[in-house]
Amino acid sequence: MSAIQTRKERERAERHQRIIDAARRLAETEGWDAVTIRRLAEAIEYSQPVLYGHFSGREAIVTAVAEQGIGEFAVATRAIREAAATPQEALTAVAEGYLAFARDNSALYDAMFLLRTNLKFGDEAGQPLKDAFMELALTFAPFAAPHDVETFTEVAWSSLHGLATLDRGGRLRPDFRAQRLEILVAQWVR
């Protein structure tokens, strides 16, 4: 591979990441409705056809943002889980971390779990999704018996997602976040 070809590939990868970063910034500041190919082209100072050379459209950009976010979530969850002294402390800390991640990264969380994407879950999932699910499964495994660990993890994850979504939507009383989490963790560790 020539030096010119290597440079062009590096520039293409950098431009690809700039598009993803611009989409994240725009979504966090103005919401996902503001993320259009035209607005992204203006933000990174390239033409719309250049963006289409990287992504087939908005859904593909949301997918790329979601996949990166899921990778970041997996790394953060691993760090939280590994820092805990006991499985129950890990469970509580990971649950708190999940809810904080959803609250602090609302547009990213929406891309990961609420917006239409091309991501495949379950057996067809890509590596970042498998890694994130594995971190949750490792957290919930000590409490899953007599149930299948993956099924228990899916139900527990669904509970966290429900709390996160309802809380972010202003549907739950904000003064009772800690109590809700305490009740949920108590159910898991029975």
Side-chain angles (χ1 to χ4, degrees):
M1 185 177 301
S2 73
I4 292 173
Q5 188 176 11
T6 302
R7 180 184 50 81
K8 286 184 178 184
E9 287 176 6
R10 185 179 63 250
E11 288 171 352
R12 179 173 173 72
E14 289 170 356
R15 192 169 48 244
H16 186 88
Q17 187 60 50
R18 284 182 62 201
I19 296 167
I20 294 169
D21 293 344
R24 283 178 74 162
R25 278 191 308 276
L26 191 54
E28 286 293 341
T29 58
E30 298 182 40
W32 279 105
D33 287 343
V35 180
T36 65
I37 298 298
R38 181 185 59 76
R39 293 279 308 272
L40 291 173
E42 291 170 3
I44 68 164
E45 299 176 337
Y46 279 93
S47 68
Q48 290 181 35
V50 170
L51 269 75
Y52 281 114
H54 288 270
F55 296 99
S56 61
R58 182 177 180 274
E59 188 173 313
I61 293 168
V62 174
T63 298
V65 169
E67 192 167 39
Q68 278 192 359
I70 289 168
E72 292 168 16
F73 170 78
V75 169
T77 302
R78 181 179 309 113
I80 291 168
R81 182 181 56 76
E82 290 178 347
T86 67
Q88 188 164 341
E89 286 179 19
L91 180 66
T92 301
V94 166
E96 288 171 344
Y98 185 98
L99 296 173
F101 185 92
R103 237 184 350 265
D104 298 342
N105 302 283
S106 59
L108 181 58
Y109 188 85
D110 287 350
M112 292 165 54
F113 300 122
L114 298 173
L115 297 177
R116 184 181 180 95
T117 67
N118 299 319
L119 292 174
K120 303 287 185 215
F121 289 86
D123 293 337
E124 299 177 34
Q127 198 59 51
L129 281 76
K130 288 179 181 178
D131 292 346
F133 187 79
M134 179 56 63
E135 288 305 320
L136 291 174
L138 289 169
T139 301
F140 291 112
F143 312 99
H147 306 288
D148 169 72
V149 172
E150 290 185 3
T151 304
F152 188 89
T153 300
E154 289 171 340
V155 171
W157 172 27
S158 298
S159 299
L160 284 172
H161 175 70
L163 277 180
T165 303
L166 290 169
D167 188 43
R168 286 180 48 229
R171 306 304 196 282
L172 300 175
R173 300 169 298 161
D175 294 341
F176 293 88
R177 286 181 179 132
Q179 291 91 331
R180 284 191 296 272
L181 187 58
E182 183 181 318
I183 291 167
L184 191 56
V185 169
Q187 296 299 309
W188 290 333
V189 299
R190 279 193 203 186

